Amino acid sequence: MTAEDFQQYIWPYKDRLYRFALRLTAGDMAEAEDVVQEVFVKLWNQAGALSGIANLEAWMLRLTHNLAIDKLRGGYRRRRVDLEEAQLPAAAAPVSDWQDTYEQVRAAMNQLPEAQCAVMHLRDVEGLSYQEICDALDLSMAQVKTNLHRARQRVREMLINK
Amino acid sequence: MSYEQIKSLLDRYFEGETTLEEEAQLGDYFAGIDVDDRLKAYQPLFTFFRAEAALEAPGIDMPAAKPPARLRRLPAYRRWAAIAASVMLALAVWYGLPKSADVQAPEVAAVDWSKYEVTDPEEALRITKKALKRTSRELNRAADRAAKEITKVKKMADPL
């Protein structure tokens, strides 16, 4: 694989991979960048084997998912924030209602179990089909639908009860 | 779209029954300015999705021609443990090794090589030929191995 090939076929996915890593690391930008950088280095090192991969995007998303989860489980970086921690403190500078609610949605997403969070992100932010999510997360169709349903229900409850 | 239509779509969305197209319709509706007051509670959710989807990776580097080796940084306590273990090992080796003064050169009886000397010219020729043949075989094997290693290095430099 040449640098041109990499730029043409792999590089366009960097934002999607970054957003996914950012979601899984509960908004830790440095950690997310680190994950994507590691994904790219692994891709580069395995360039010879990439031609055998049927769905490169799903493969990259799965690698991003696995690396992000490894980092989270490693426990040496910031842990996923709780809803209460993510809310702005009362003494902070005044913020608009929109900002406040936006942060609550972000916190609600971060509070979801990992599988639900990943499925909801890929569907609602990235607009992936159910099959693409199955491929990316190595889940069955039933698991994807169940996780998505539960995630949306939980977020809905959090929004209504805020 | 009317309130009823959006409400119906929204209910199906939360049940996980909407298609990607219908979810895009919901996103468009909540991105607009005419959101029904009864549905405003859901607006931040869809606004959030749109804003998240627009996020770009800030500091990702394109891998160089040869990607940099990324070293795994150990936690501080493990680094110190590794240093302590190295020092202990060095000390153990230091104390365990015999000091130069203690080392006694073993006495070895002198070998009488003359009894192994080949006196028959035919035998000497046969042994010499055999040694040269073996040397030649080893040299050829080394050349093959070197060629293989060069091919591997070339592949690493240009993987595809």
Side-chain angles (χ1 to χ4, degrees), chain B residues 62-141:
Chain B
M62 175 94 176
K66 181 165 177 55
R70 292 178 66 83
L71 299 176
R72 194 178 184 89
R73 192 174 173 80
L74 292 172
Y77 76 91
R78 288 189 63 184
R79 285 202 300 275
W80 283 110
I83 292 168
S86 304
V87 171
M88 292 293 286
L89 185 64
L91 285 174
V93 170
W94 171 259
Y95 284 112
L97 279 178
K99 302 293 177 285
S100 57
D102 304 332
V103 177
Q104 297 286 329
E107 288 185 11
V108 179
V111 178
D112 180 14
W113 291 104
S114 62
K115 63 182 176 183
Y116 299 107
E117 193 176 338
V118 179
T119 51
D120 179 16
E122 292 289 325
E123 179 67 6
L125 182 63
R126 191 187 66 77
I127 291 171
T128 307
K129 275 185 177 175
K130 193 176 174 185
L132 287 171
K133 198 172 178 182
R134 184 172 179 176
T135 306
S136 168
R137 194 169 61 237
E138 292 299 325
L139 283 172
N140 285 334
R141 191 186 292 172

Side-chain angles (χ1 to χ4, degrees), chain A residues 7-154:
Chain A
Q7 191 144 28
Q8 187 177 353
Y9 300 114
I10 310 286
W11 195 242
Y13 291 107
K14 74 176 168 56
D15 293 333
R16 172 165 287 182
L17 300 183
Y18 171 74
R19 289 191 293 267
F20 191 34
L22 195 63
R23 170 67 40 239
L24 295 170
T25 55
D28 189 325
M29 292 170 69
E31 198 77 280
E33 282 176 32
D34 214 22
V35 167
V36 179
Q37 197 72 63
E38 278 186 47
V39 169
F40 282 167
V41 171
K42 277 181 187 287
L43 278 166
W44 185 263
N45 288 340
Q46 296 178 18
L50 295 184
S51 54
I53 296 170
N55 188 341
L56 188 59
E57 184 185 9
W59 193 83
M60 287 192 289
L61 283 168
R62 192 184 301 181
L63 190 55
T64 303
H65 176 262
N66 293 345
L67 284 172
I69 297 305
D70 282 351
K71 280 184 179 292
L72 271 183
R73 288 177 185 160
Y76 62 91
R77 287 289 182 95
R78 199 173 69 186
R79 301 173 69 184
R80 293 170 74 91
V81 289
D82 292 326
L83 177 61
E84 291 76 16
E85 289 170 353
Q87 286 175 338
L88 294 174
V95 291
S96 67
D97 287 347
W98 183 86
Q99 266 182 302
D100 195 22
T101 318
Y102 187 90
E103 287 302 325
Q104 284 179 358
V105 174
R106 184 195 300 278
M109 288 280 286
N110 288 343
Q111 213 184 29
L112 292 173
E114 177 264 314
Q116 292 179 21
C117 181
V119 171
M120 191 170 181
H121 174 88
L122 292 179
R123 178 71 180 191
D124 288 331
V125 176
E126 302 300 339
L128 265 57
S129 69
Y130 290 132
Q131 188 56 54
E132 286 171 322
I133 299 171
C134 292
D135 295 340
L137 300 179
D138 200 18
L139 296 175
S140 68
M141 186 65 79
Q143 285 174 313
V144 167
K145 288 185 175 179
T146 304
N147 276 305
L148 185 63
H149 177 250
R150 287 179 182 164
R152 285 174 174 174
Q153 289 295 333
R154 284 187 71 159

